[in-house]
Amino acid sequence: MKKILFLFCIVLSFQATAQEGELPAEEIYVIKNKKNILPEVGKPQEKVTLSLKPLPKVKQKYTYKEFSLLLPLLDPKLNPPVLKAEKEEPAKEGYLRLGAGNYGSTLLDAFYNSGRQKDYAYGIFLNHQASANGPVSKSGYSNNEAGAYGRYFTPNFTLGGGLAYNRGRYNFYGFDRDSSNELSSDSTKQIIQSVWFNLGLENNKKNKPVSYKAGLGIGNISDRFKASESEISLDFNGRYKIKDSSSVDVMTDLSLVKRTDSSSVNRSLWRIEPVYRFGFKGFQVHAGIQVSVANEPEVQETGAYSGSKSSFHIHPILGLQQNIFESKLIAFAGVRGGMNKRTLRSTLEANPFLAPDVYLRHENQLFNFYLGLKGQMKGQWNYRTQISIEKLNQQAFFVNSEERQEQFEVVYDSSSTRRFTWETEAIYDLGTKTRAGIRYAFIKYGLDKLNEPWHAPNSVLTIFGRQQISEKIMLSGEFYYMGGLRGFNWKTAETEKLKGLADFNLKGEYFFKKRYSAFISVHNLLNNKNQRFLYYPTQGLRIMVGASVVF
């Protein structure tokens, strides 16, 4: 068929050409079965090989670098269908708790703050706790505190300050009750008032190489017997970060104290601690020194002050830490020493029943060698155990006054006081719903001049727990024990061992709504008349009920 079409096209072409002129006479031969056959060519049998030079063997070198890639925040214009976000619950700005119980006990705890603010925060607080009566006559007390604070935030720093006032009303109820002449209420009354103002500055850019925190404190404390102490304190903590694992830390503070009692004395203490922190073969190491200068009055055998004396001290600081098994087992050890500040304020906080004109000196910790283990398991269990061996100078103890047994003198051992301490704790923490733990400390003193470490315990045990039973019920409890207390009885001129102080407390709270709750607390469930200090029994079973509101 294809051949017929081909011939038909040729004929048509001849006809079209004939219209313009005649073609010359030619003969055309059409061969149908013509086959075109190409000659065969032999394929080459030899394979072509390429000779390549071997590549030189070069040892590969790898460089690992950490890159910090900051991507611009996305600004999507589309509004994809998502669940509606829950409205943020407004911050509660106020809190009030009221309570009352036996022994004529009353409780008030209140505060008010500015809530969530971007550039500032402020607040005021008020605390009151009192008992009209106690285990014996004239053993009531009250403690009241009020204050305010404020903070101002900027991108670079935070400026803060606060003012607090405290008034404590106590009684020297440890007087000799076998005497026919019972002391009047006026002669046993003690009132301690204190005021403290603080101002602080702290940088906010923690990712910068340099960080710092500085503070100023000004305060005064006085009692009913016209003893007073004024203090000005300055402190600074700074850090220069060299690398991720190394830094230089500097702590320094200055305390200027003026004490007025039957006489007026000035005391001062300046300390500076430069410390270098770094990593070395898997260890975290910190090494430095504490340099301090103390200026304190000298006392004569008669008890009168004979002027002041300055002393210069250098103490070592060295610590090692090794992460043996992730964060579950961490070993640490070190040695350090330093001067520890002691003021009338800190001494009255430890014992409010002081006699007039007590002799105060700063404690000199010559050295403290320590080692221990710590760790965290599953983010819930935390534990720590540590032993330490110390040598102390000017270690203070409380002993009853010979003239008035209800008041306490501060006495000191020589420069060779030794103290061995074993401390251990384990805490189980699941946040606000569940928390429990145990802490134990064993303390052993080696003394030179004193017969006993008066009123210093040799063992302290604390067991505590808190459990939220439901959304509306919260239970908590605590057991506290302190043993090994000893006092000196001037009547018999002998050491008197105090019975171990055991205190078991329970508390339950019921939440009606998120803002309202009621509570009942039971203190000293064992109804022991514990004595923290000789001749000073504490309250027995005490029950308090109350309510609180958040607004």
Side-chain angles (χ1 to χ4, degrees), residues 81-100:
V82 295
L83 295 175
K84 184 178 180 180
E86 295 184 2
K87 185 178 179 181
E88 186 180 32
E89 185 177 352
K92 305 299 187 297
E93 299 176 352
Y95 175 81
L96 177 64
R97 176 183 289 255
L98 297 172

Side-chain angles (χ1 to χ4, degrees), residues 388-402:
S388 61
I389 301 173
E390 301 172 84
K391 187 174 183 181
L392 306 167
N393 184 13
Q394 300 168 185
Q395 170 67 20
F397 300 96
F398 297 111
V399 65
N400 297 77
S401 173
E402 184 178 6

Side-chain angles (χ1 to χ4, degrees), residues 44-51:
Q45 299 299 322
E46 295 182 1
K47 295 183 179 180
V48 178
T49 59
L50 298 176
S51 59

Side-chain angles (χ1 to χ4, degrees), residues 55-240:
L55 296 175
K57 294 182 179 181
V58 180
K59 188 177 181 180
Q60 300 295 317
K61 296 181 180 180
Y62 301 93
T63 301
Y64 298 94
K65 295 183 179 180
E66 294 184 0
F67 297 93
S68 179
L69 182 61
L70 298 178
L71 298 177
L73 296 177
L74 296 176
D75 186 15
K77 302 301 180 183
L78 299 176
N79 293 321
V82 295
L83 295 175
K84 184 178 180 180
E86 295 184 2
K87 185 178 179 181
E88 186 180 32
E89 185 177 352
K92 305 299 187 297
E93 299 176 352
Y95 175 81
L96 177 64
R97 176 183 289 255
L98 297 172
N102 59 331
Y103 291 103
S105 301
T106 54
L107 171 68
L108 168 64
D109 190 10
F111 70 82
Y112 181 84
N113 60 55
S114 58
R116 294 191 182 100
Q117 304 294 336
K118 180 181 179 181
D119 299 327
Y120 63 89
Y122 65 85
I124 57 175
F125 60 90
L126 176 65
N127 304 108
H128 163 80
Q129 188 171 354
S131 290
N133 305 306
V136 294
S137 62
K138 300 182 178 63
S139 58
Y141 77 96
S142 69
N143 190 28
N144 303 278
E145 185 178 15
Y149 67 89
R151 295 185 181 91
Y152 177 69
F153 307 102
T154 73
N156 297 322
F157 64 87
T158 297
L159 179 65
L163 179 66
Y165 169 77
N166 182 278
R167 183 183 186 275
R169 167 69 165 84
Y170 306 95
N171 288 295
F172 294 102
Y173 64 91
F175 56 86
D176 185 4
R177 297 181 180 272
D178 296 332
S179 175
S180 58
N181 298 322
E182 183 171 330
L183 297 179
S184 63
S185 299
D186 185 69
S187 61
T188 61
K189 184 168 62 174
Q190 170 68 298
I191 298 176
I192 301 173
Q193 301 184 80
S194 70
V195 60
W196 186 261
F197 168 78
N198 68 85
L199 189 65
L201 179 67
E202 181 178 3
N203 73 320
N204 293 332
K205 294 186 176 181
K206 303 300 181 182
N207 57 342
K208 296 294 184 180
V210 178
S211 61
Y212 62 87
K213 184 177 181 181
L216 165 68
I218 302 174
N220 178 268
I221 187 169
S222 61
D223 67 7
R224 183 171 173 265
F225 302 101
K226 297 182 179 180
S228 68
E229 180 186 73
S230 300
E231 181 181 5
I232 299 176
S233 68
L234 298 167
D235 64 86
F236 175 84
N237 287 272
R239 168 170 290 184
Y240 176 68

Side-chain angles (χ1 to χ4, degrees), residues 6-7 9-14 23-32:
F6 177 73
L7 294 175
C9 291
I10 294 174
V11 172
L12 288 178
S13 64
F14 285 142
L23 292 173
E26 297 286 347
E27 292 181 359
I28 299 174
Y29 296 94
V30 177
I31 301 173
K32 293 182 179 182

Side-chain angles (χ1 to χ4, degrees), residues 473-547:
I473 300 177
M474 175 74 79
L475 297 178
S476 61
E478 179 187 39
F479 175 77
Y480 182 80
Y481 176 82
M482 180 183 291
L485 298 171
R486 290 173 170 82
F488 186 75
N489 189 328
W490 286 99
K491 288 184 178 180
T492 61
E494 295 179 352
T495 299
E496 186 165 337
K497 295 181 180 181
L498 278 63
K499 184 180 178 181
L501 189 156
D503 197 358
F504 183 34
N505 307 317
L506 289 176
K507 180 182 178 182
E509 190 164 6
Y510 183 82
F511 298 88
F512 297 99
K513 293 183 179 181
K514 290 184 177 180
R515 297 191 173 191
Y516 304 97
S517 68
F519 71 90
I520 179 171
S521 60
V522 182
H523 300 270
N524 196 1
L525 192 62
L526 303 177
N527 197 28
N528 292 328
K529 291 187 177 181
N530 301 309
Q531 290 190 75
R532 176 61 183 89
F533 299 105
L534 183 60
Y535 309 128
Y536 280 88
T538 58
Q539 294 176 344
L541 179 67
R542 181 163 60 94
I543 301 175
M544 179 170 286
V545 295

